[in-house]
Amino acid sequence: MMATGADQAVGFGLVGFSLLLFTYYTIWVIVLPFVDSDHVIHSYFLPREYSVILPGVAALILLFFVGTFIGVVTWKNRKPKKVD
Amino acid sequence: MTKLLEWLLGVSLIGVAWGLFTFDLLDLQLPPQCRELAWPMPVYLLVVFGCYSLATVGYRVATFNDCENAAKELQAQIKEAKEDLKKKGLKINNDYLKQKSSSEVPLIPFKLPKLLRGGQTVKRGADLQSEGQSSENTRSGCELRNQSAV
């Protein structure tokens, strides 16, 4: 009784995406400092500062969406004079 | 010592260690690569934790043990019990039990508690079961279970 098609696709898609993200980010943060600076692999990665700035920006965007969602839902559920 | 204090102590110890390595406060003259490695560490650990959470949620969504027959049967039983109770005079004002106009059975409310609790039983519908109605489909092997005890 496995989960049906779309659920499996979404689930394994999430797993794959997070594995990709983990691998790329680990190479960026942990492996690259020990690689010679004239190696070709450095051309696939942004400068090191971005490895901190980009997740920070992503976290802010996430917070923004969560806050907006909460605001929209609260606004939709408001009742005149009394909130349940 | 409370759990909160333990966690705060652990986090601040790690924070102090990280600060020492990043800003070279003890003048340890570490190789430059170690400093390069140390300063993104907090963000790195957060990203790794986020990836792990995402992978866990995705994996549990993909391997969730759906029981569509049992869910539909349960919805029918809920409707039956609701009508029966209405006849006996009980007023039910529960938005969750409202049947939507779409033909698809709303399975998401049954899945989320299961995902979040990681395998424990679902509480909803437990009170209706105590009406005395027994299900022919025992739902064995499925992860949608009703127990009268909380």
Side-chain angles (χ1 to χ4, degrees):
Chain A
M1 294 210 186
M2 286 284 284
T4 48
D7 285 346
Q8 266 187 316
V10 167
F12 286 126
L14 277 179
V15 173
F17 172 73
S18 64
L19 276 175
L20 271 173
L21 191 65
F22 171 74
T23 314
Y24 185 85
Y25 198 68
T26 302
I27 295 178
W28 197 4
V29 172
I30 296 195
V31 173
L32 279 190
F34 299 102
V35 166
D36 290 328
S37 53
D38 50 1
H39 197 282
V40 71
I41 199 173
H42 283 277
S43 60
Y44 291 103
F45 294 92
L46 287 167
R48 210 160 158 71
E49 297 73 39
Y50 287 98
S51 73
V52 170
I53 293 173
L54 284 178
V57 169
L60 283 174
I61 293 176
L62 180 75
L63 275 179
F64 171 76
F65 276 117
V66 168
T68 312
F69 175 77
I70 292 176
V72 163
V73 169
T74 311
W75 182 259
K76 272 193 186 164
N77 279 351
R78 81 192 188 289
K79 291 188 179 133
K81 290 194 178 160
K82 195 179 177 185
V83 179
D84 268 357
Chain B
M1 188 183 284
T2 64
K3 275 290 168 191
L4 175 67
L5 281 178
E6 277 181 31
W7 275 86
L8 283 176
L9 195 68
V11 167
S12 47
L13 277 174
I14 293 175
V16 164
W18 174 78
L20 284 176
F21 277 109
T22 310
F23 303 110
D24 216 6
L25 296 172
L26 292 178
D27 288 323
L28 287 171
Q29 308 294 336
L30 286 166
Q33 287 131 343
C34 281
R35 290 199 63 191
E36 273 289 304
L37 189 58
W39 74 264
M41 264 307 127
V43 181
Y44 177 75
L45 290 174
L46 267 174
V47 171
V48 166
F49 171 70
C51 282
Y52 168 74
S53 312
L54 202 64
T56 307
V57 168
Y59 181 71
R60 287 195 185 162
V61 165
T63 56
F64 187 78
N65 215 355
D66 249 352
C67 308
E68 286 183 62
N69 292 336
K72 283 188 183 130
E73 193 183 331
L74 185 62
Q75 286 286 336
Q77 282 188 343
I78 289 173
K79 196 175 169 198
E80 202 183 319
K82 193 177 155 192
E83 282 159 9
D84 188 42
L85 288 169
K86 251 190 194 162
K87 257 188 278 170
K88 295 180 184 170
L90 182 70
K91 290 201 185 99
I92 297 178
N93 180 21
N94 191 343
D95 289 331
Y96 170 72
L97 291 174
K98 240 185 241 168
Q99 289 292 318
K100 295 195 180 141
S101 53
S102 69
S103 55
E104 218 180 278
V105 175
L107 294 170
I108 302 289
F110 291 99
K111 283 188 197 172
L112 272 179
K114 148 83 185 156
L115 273 177
L116 293 170
R117 271 174 246 156
Q120 293 174 21
T121 56
V122 175
K123 283 187 201 168
R124 294 192 194 280
D127 305 323
L128 298 164
Q129 195 74 356
S130 62
E131 267 267 287
Q133 301 175 13
S134 59
S135 162
E136 298 200 356
N137 178 6
T138 56
R139 305 187 193 112
S140 58
C142 299
E143 310 210 3
L144 186 68
R145 277 181 231 110
N146 284 322
Q147 289 179 357
S148 49
V150 170

